[in-house]
Amino acid sequence: MKPPEEFLTDAFIYKEYQGTNDWSEPIYGEEVKIKNCRIDIGSEFIYSTRGKQILYNGLIFCYEGLTDPMLEFTEESMVIVNGLSHTITKVIPVMEPLENKLYAYELEVV
């Protein structure tokens, strides 16, 4: 079951990563406003022999059939949430349990 649409009150700006310029700076596409999603900002860390390392600063959940527009998100793309820029570090497609159909995307951002 997908969450009720009235629970998906968050939105963000998505700018797709398109590579780098001659100075190795990232190039992004046009801004696209994504609405009807869920955004959880909060850091997740791991601890290793190298010390404390951040895994992500937040998670964004986008649901097939509810999030508008639903895109094929790519790593290294930029998202802007409440005026703050974040970079997508991991795109996790979540599939329907009994069929090979997209249920949602989980985006890890830093």
Side-chain angles (χ1 to χ4, degrees):
M1 282 182 73
K2 293 183 181 164
E5 190 170 348
E6 54 269 10
F7 289 2
L8 303 176
T9 58
D10 297 319
F12 65 95
I13 303 294
Y14 176 75
K15 295 173 74 174
E16 185 171 17
Y17 176 76
Q18 297 182 333
T20 57
N21 64 17
D22 294 337
W23 298 279
S24 297
E25 299 169 331
I27 300 171
Y28 299 102
E30 296 293 316
E31 291 185 356
V32 178
K33 183 170 184 175
I34 310 292
K35 58 184 182 173
N36 299 338
C37 60
R38 179 176 170 187
I39 301 173
D40 292 330
I41 299 297
S43 300
E44 180 73 25
F45 296 95
I46 61 169
Y47 298 90
S48 69
T49 56
R50 289 187 264 163
K52 182 176 169 181
Q53 297 177 321
I54 189 161
L55 286 178
Y56 55 83
N57 280 335
L59 294 172
I60 300 174
F61 300 92
C62 299
Y63 297 91
E64 180 66 37
L66 297 173
T67 299
D68 182 37
M70 183 63 149
L71 304 175
E72 288 189 29
F73 300 99
T74 58
E75 294 176 0
E76 297 187 61
S77 294
M78 179 188 299
V79 297
I80 302 170
V81 178
N82 297 327
L84 298 174
S85 297
H86 302 275
T87 301
I88 297 174
T89 58
K90 193 170 188 180
V91 177
I92 304 167
V94 180
M95 307 307 282
E96 293 277 356
L98 299 175
E99 50 188 295
N100 191 19
K101 183 177 167 186
L102 182 68
Y103 173 78
Y105 280 116
E106 181 180 318
L107 310 175
E108 294 181 359
V109 299
V110 292

